[in-house]
Short mmCIF file of all heavy atoms in Angstrom, two decimals:
data_model
loop_
_atom_site.label_atom_id
_atom_site.label_comp_id
_atom_site.label_asym_id
_atom_site.label_seq_id
_atom_site.Cartn_x
_atom_site.Cartn_y
_atom_site.Cartn_z
N HIS F 115 91.57 27.19 77.95
CA HIS F 115 92.31 28.46 77.92
C HIS F 115 92.29 29.22 79.24
O HIS F 115 93.20 29.99 79.50
CB HIS F 115 91.73 29.39 76.85
CG HIS F 115 91.51 28.74 75.52
ND1 HIS F 115 92.55 28.48 74.65
CD2 HIS F 115 90.38 28.28 74.93
CE1 HIS F 115 92.05 27.90 73.56
NE2 HIS F 115 90.75 27.76 73.70
N ALA F 116 91.27 29.04 80.06
CA ALA F 116 91.06 29.92 81.21
C ALA F 116 91.26 29.22 82.55
O ALA F 116 90.80 29.72 83.58
CB ALA F 116 89.66 30.53 81.15
N ALA F 117 91.94 28.09 82.57
CA ALA F 117 92.07 27.33 83.81
C ALA F 117 92.84 28.12 84.88
O ALA F 117 92.44 28.17 86.04
CB ALA F 117 92.76 26.00 83.54
N TRP F 118 93.96 28.73 84.50
CA TRP F 118 94.73 29.51 85.48
C TRP F 118 93.91 30.71 85.97
O TRP F 118 93.89 31.02 87.16
CB TRP F 118 96.06 29.98 84.90
CG TRP F 118 96.67 31.10 85.70
CD1 TRP F 118 96.82 32.40 85.33
CD2 TRP F 118 97.19 31.02 87.03
NE1 TRP F 118 97.39 33.14 86.36
CE2 TRP F 118 97.63 32.30 87.41
CE3 TRP F 118 97.32 29.97 87.95
CZ2 TRP F 118 98.19 32.58 88.65
CZ3 TRP F 118 97.88 30.25 89.20
CH2 TRP F 118 98.31 31.53 89.54
N TYR F 119 93.21 31.38 85.05
CA TYR F 119 92.40 32.53 85.42
C TYR F 119 91.33 32.12 86.44
O TYR F 119 91.14 32.78 87.48
CB TYR F 119 91.76 33.11 84.16
CG TYR F 119 90.89 34.34 84.38
CD1 TYR F 119 91.36 35.45 85.07
CD2 TYR F 119 89.60 34.39 83.86
CE1 TYR F 119 90.58 36.58 85.24
CE2 TYR F 119 88.81 35.51 84.01
CZ TYR F 119 89.30 36.60 84.71
OH TYR F 119 88.51 37.72 84.88
N LEU F 120 90.64 31.02 86.16
CA LEU F 120 89.63 30.53 87.09
C LEU F 120 90.24 30.18 88.44
O LEU F 120 89.70 30.53 89.51
CB LEU F 120 88.94 29.30 86.49
CG LEU F 120 87.87 28.63 87.36
CD1 LEU F 120 86.64 29.51 87.45
CD2 LEU F 120 87.50 27.26 86.79
N LEU F 121 91.38 29.51 88.40
CA LEU F 121 92.03 29.09 89.64
C LEU F 121 92.45 30.27 90.48
O LEU F 121 92.17 30.32 91.69
CB LEU F 121 93.24 28.21 89.33
CG LEU F 121 94.05 27.76 90.55
CD1 LEU F 121 93.21 26.84 91.43
CD2 LEU F 121 95.34 27.08 90.12
N ARG F 122 93.10 31.25 89.88
CA ARG F 122 93.61 32.35 90.69
C ARG F 122 92.47 33.22 91.24
O ARG F 122 92.56 33.74 92.35
CB ARG F 122 94.65 33.17 89.94
CG ARG F 122 94.23 33.85 88.65
CD ARG F 122 94.01 35.35 88.86
NE ARG F 122 94.10 36.05 87.58
CZ ARG F 122 93.72 37.31 87.40
NH1 ARG F 122 93.20 38.01 88.39
NH2 ARG F 122 93.84 37.88 86.21
N LEU F 123 91.38 33.35 90.49
CA LEU F 123 90.23 34.08 91.03
C LEU F 123 89.66 33.37 92.24
O LEU F 123 89.40 33.98 93.29
CB LEU F 123 89.15 34.23 89.96
CG LEU F 123 89.42 35.22 88.82
CD1 LEU F 123 88.27 35.16 87.80
CD2 LEU F 123 89.59 36.64 89.33
N HIS F 124 89.47 32.07 92.13
CA HIS F 124 88.84 31.34 93.23
C HIS F 124 89.80 31.13 94.40
O HIS F 124 89.34 31.02 95.55
CB HIS F 124 88.26 30.03 92.72
CG HIS F 124 86.94 30.22 92.03
ND1 HIS F 124 85.75 30.19 92.69
CD2 HIS F 124 86.64 30.52 90.73
CE1 HIS F 124 84.75 30.43 91.84
NE2 HIS F 124 85.27 30.63 90.64
N MET F 125 91.09 31.10 94.16
CA MET F 125 92.04 31.06 95.28
C MET F 125 91.98 32.36 96.08
O MET F 125 92.07 32.35 97.31
CB MET F 125 93.46 30.79 94.79
CG MET F 125 93.70 29.36 94.33
SD MET F 125 95.45 28.97 94.10
CE MET F 125 95.96 28.65 95.78
N THR F 126 91.82 33.49 95.38
CA THR F 126 91.72 34.76 96.12
C THR F 126 90.42 34.83 96.91
O THR F 126 90.37 35.44 97.98
CB THR F 126 91.82 35.96 95.16
OG1 THR F 126 90.71 35.96 94.26
CG2 THR F 126 93.11 35.94 94.37
N TRP F 127 89.36 34.22 96.40
CA TRP F 127 88.10 34.18 97.15
C TRP F 127 88.24 33.31 98.40
O TRP F 127 87.80 33.68 99.49
CB TRP F 127 87.00 33.65 96.23
CG TRP F 127 85.72 33.29 96.93
CD1 TRP F 127 85.04 34.04 97.85
CD2 TRP F 127 84.97 32.07 96.77
NE1 TRP F 127 83.92 33.39 98.28
CE2 TRP F 127 83.83 32.17 97.63
CE3 TRP F 127 85.14 30.94 95.99
CZ2 TRP F 127 82.89 31.16 97.72
CZ3 TRP F 127 84.19 29.94 96.06
CH2 TRP F 127 83.08 30.05 96.93
N GLN F 128 88.89 32.17 98.24
CA GLN F 128 88.99 31.22 99.35
C GLN F 128 90.01 31.65 100.41
O GLN F 128 89.79 31.47 101.61
CB GLN F 128 89.38 29.83 98.82
CG GLN F 128 88.34 29.18 97.92
CD GLN F 128 87.19 28.56 98.68
OE1 GLN F 128 87.25 28.39 99.89
NE2 GLN F 128 86.12 28.23 97.98
N PHE F 129 91.14 32.24 99.97
CA PHE F 129 92.27 32.41 100.88
C PHE F 129 92.81 33.83 100.97
O PHE F 129 93.78 34.08 101.68
CB PHE F 129 93.41 31.47 100.47
CG PHE F 129 93.00 30.04 100.39
CD1 PHE F 129 92.98 29.37 99.18
CD2 PHE F 129 92.62 29.34 101.53
CE1 PHE F 129 92.59 28.05 99.09
CE2 PHE F 129 92.24 28.01 101.45
CZ PHE F 129 92.22 27.36 100.23
N GLY F 130 92.24 34.77 100.25
CA GLY F 130 92.74 36.14 100.31
C GLY F 130 93.61 36.47 99.11
O GLY F 130 93.89 35.63 98.24
N LEU F 131 94.06 37.72 99.07
CA LEU F 131 94.77 38.22 97.90
C LEU F 131 96.20 37.71 97.84
O LEU F 131 96.83 37.48 98.88
CB LEU F 131 94.79 39.76 97.93
CG LEU F 131 93.42 40.45 97.94
CD1 LEU F 131 93.61 41.96 97.97
CD2 LEU F 131 92.58 40.03 96.74
N PRO F 132 96.73 37.53 96.63
CA PRO F 132 98.15 37.21 96.49
C PRO F 132 99.00 38.39 96.94
O PRO F 132 98.53 39.53 97.00
CB PRO F 132 98.31 36.96 94.99
CG PRO F 132 97.22 37.73 94.36
CD PRO F 132 96.07 37.68 95.31
N PHE F 133 100.24 38.11 97.25
CA PHE F 133 101.14 39.14 97.78
C PHE F 133 102.20 39.48 96.75
O PHE F 133 102.84 38.60 96.19
CB PHE F 133 101.80 38.65 99.07
CG PHE F 133 102.33 39.75 99.94
CD1 PHE F 133 101.52 40.35 100.89
CD2 PHE F 133 103.63 40.21 99.79
CE1 PHE F 133 102.00 41.37 101.70
CE2 PHE F 133 104.12 41.23 100.58
CZ PHE F 133 103.30 41.82 101.55
N HIS F 134 102.36 40.79 96.51
CA HIS F 134 103.39 41.27 95.59
C HIS F 134 104.64 41.63 96.38
O HIS F 134 104.61 42.51 97.24
CB HIS F 134 102.86 42.50 94.83
CG HIS F 134 103.91 43.23 94.06
ND1 HIS F 134 103.89 44.61 93.89
CD2 HIS F 134 105.02 42.80 93.40
CE1 HIS F 134 104.91 44.98 93.16
NE2 HIS F 134 105.62 43.90 92.87
N ILE F 135 105.73 40.96 96.08
CA ILE F 135 107.01 41.25 96.72
C ILE F 135 107.76 42.26 95.84
O ILE F 135 108.12 41.95 94.70
CB ILE F 135 107.87 39.98 96.88
CG1 ILE F 135 107.06 38.85 97.52
CG2 ILE F 135 109.12 40.30 97.67
CD1 ILE F 135 106.59 39.13 98.93
N GLN F 136 107.97 43.45 96.36
CA GLN F 136 108.64 44.50 95.57
C GLN F 136 110.16 44.35 95.66
O GLN F 136 110.88 45.23 96.11
CB GLN F 136 108.19 45.88 96.03
CG GLN F 136 106.75 46.19 95.65
CD GLN F 136 106.34 47.58 96.03
OE1 GLN F 136 106.09 47.87 97.20
NE2 GLN F 136 106.27 48.47 95.05
N GLU F 137 110.62 43.18 95.21
CA GLU F 137 112.04 42.88 95.09
C GLU F 137 112.26 42.25 93.73
O GLU F 137 111.37 41.58 93.19
CB GLU F 137 112.50 41.89 96.17
CG GLU F 137 112.27 42.33 97.59
CD GLU F 137 112.61 41.23 98.59
OE1 GLU F 137 113.22 40.21 98.16
OE2 GLU F 137 112.24 41.36 99.77
N THR F 138 113.45 42.43 93.18
CA THR F 138 113.79 41.77 91.92
C THR F 138 114.23 40.35 92.23
O THR F 138 115.29 40.12 92.79
CB THR F 138 114.91 42.54 91.20
OG1 THR F 138 114.49 43.89 91.02
CG2 THR F 138 115.20 41.92 89.85
N GLY F 139 113.36 39.38 91.87
CA GLY F 139 113.55 38.04 92.37
C GLY F 139 114.20 37.04 91.44
O GLY F 139 114.62 35.98 91.87
N TYR F 140 114.30 37.36 90.13
CA TYR F 140 114.83 36.38 89.18
C TYR F 140 115.06 37.07 87.85
O TYR F 140 114.70 38.24 87.65
CB TYR F 140 113.86 35.20 89.01
CG TYR F 140 112.47 35.62 88.60
CD1 TYR F 140 112.10 35.69 87.25
CD2 TYR F 140 111.51 35.96 89.55
CE1 TYR F 140 110.83 36.09 86.87
CE2 TYR F 140 110.23 36.36 89.17
CZ TYR F 140 109.89 36.42 87.84
OH TYR F 140 108.65 36.83 87.47
N THR F 141 115.65 36.34 86.91
CA THR F 141 115.88 36.84 85.56
C THR F 141 115.01 36.08 84.59
O THR F 141 114.89 34.85 84.67
CB THR F 141 117.36 36.69 85.16
OG1 THR F 141 118.17 37.42 86.09
CG2 THR F 141 117.60 37.22 83.75
#
Side-chain angles (χ1 to χ4, degrees):
H115 312 283
W118 163 249
Y119 181 51
L120 178 70
L121 177 65
R122 61 103 159 168
L123 287 176
H124 281 271
M125 287 193 80
T126 64
W127 168 47
Q128 295 282 347
F129 304 113
L131 301 180
F133 201 89
H134 169 214
I135 310 296
Q136 290 183 285
E137 302 174 11
T138 304
Y140 56 91
T141 301

